[in-house]
Amino acid sequence: MRLDITLITIIVTGIISLYTLYADQNLLDKLILRPFRDSKEGNYYTLATSGFVHADFSHLFFNMLTLYFFGRHVDMVLGPLGFMGLYLASILIANLVSFQKNKADANYASLGASGGTSGIVFASILFYPYSKIFFFFIPIPIPGPLYAILYLAYSYYASKNRQDGINHDAHFYGALTGLAVAILVQPLSLIAFIQYVFGAFI
């Protein structure tokens, strides 16, 4: 029987997130990324742990729903170890950027698996460029490569404005990390992706 690393990741994240949300708020605060506090106290473990806790149930639900739909596609190409390596790298790099940019802001905090899920989505688009993506509440299928461009453009723009309380840096850098790791592990996938894009859109 093949290990379903996507489902395991969803279950583990769900248990930790729900427990900290509804049973132990003190633990939730310890696991959240707070760059100002963490740089003073040396709590660098939060670069990883903040990816396994969420602000509320809807935050958890949408991240895990995204992981459910895209995770297995990445697992099929990279296997369980490759999947986890890419997922964790996307969380860590995305959070490291947020950490460095916000060390002087005592009020800044970040949590959620968005960096990891963004990395998984972009790896999936690289491996399966012909896939169509249905964005939430938009009933029109978007070609994967086009979705990737729009996602990066919006995340970059939103990160410069920072008016909605969402860590768009995590989305942007998590996506780029996932893409970079996927190319590093499967370099031929980039060639196939470029050939598909040029054939489909040019």
Side-chain angles (χ1 to χ4, degrees):
M1 184 177 178
R2 196 173 189 279
L3 181 68
D4 192 339
I5 190 65
T6 299
L7 184 59
I8 291 174
T9 304
I10 291 172
I11 292 173
V12 170
T13 304
I15 290 173
I16 296 173
S17 293
L18 293 174
Y19 177 78
T20 54
L21 272 174
Y22 300 112
D24 196 339
Q25 289 281 324
N26 290 329
L27 178 59
L28 175 63
D29 186 65
K30 291 179 181 178
L31 299 182
I32 289 174
L33 178 68
R34 295 187 182 276
F36 182 84
R37 175 199 68 184
D38 298 338
S39 62
K40 301 295 183 183
E41 299 178 1
N43 297 334
Y44 301 114
Y45 63 83
T46 59
L47 293 170
T49 59
S50 58
F52 292 86
V53 292
H54 289 80
D56 52 41
F57 181 80
S58 62
H59 187 206
L60 170 66
F61 176 78
F62 283 116
N63 270 333
M64 293 304 98
L65 184 66
T66 301
L67 190 60
Y68 176 80
F69 282 119
F70 291 93
R72 287 189 171 96
H73 298 299
V74 177
D75 179 23
M76 288 174 60
V77 178
L78 299 183
L81 289 179
F83 172 97
M84 283 307 302
L86 187 149
Y87 184 71
L88 292 175
S90 298
I91 289 175
L92 289 170
I93 297 300
N95 282 336
L96 184 59
V97 172
S98 298
F99 183 88
Q100 292 296 332
K101 290 179 66 173
N102 298 281
K103 285 194 294 185
D105 186 351
N107 297 315
Y108 182 88
S110 180
L111 73 169
S114 298
T117 56
S118 295
I120 291 294
V121 169
F122 270 61
S124 178
I125 292 173
L126 176 72
F127 296 146
Y128 305 94
Y130 46 82
S131 61
K132 300 291 191 297
I133 296 176
F134 284 88
F135 193 68
F136 295 119
F137 312 120
I138 300 178
I140 302 173
I142 304 173
L146 177 59
Y147 174 86
I149 294 172
L150 295 174
Y151 185 91
L152 287 177
Y154 173 75
S155 296
Y156 181 81
Y157 169 80
S159 70
K160 295 300 182 181
N161 289 273
R162 294 179 59 176
Q163 296 178 345
D164 56 8
I166 297 173
N167 185 1
H168 293 284
D169 282 331
H171 299 170
F172 185 82
Y173 290 101
L176 291 182
T177 300
L179 184 61
V181 172
I183 292 172
L184 181 66
V185 177
Q186 294 285 337
L188 292 180
S189 63
L190 178 60
I191 298 175
F193 178 87
I194 293 173
Q195 290 175 336
Y196 172 81
V197 171
F198 271 76
F201 298 104
I202 296 180

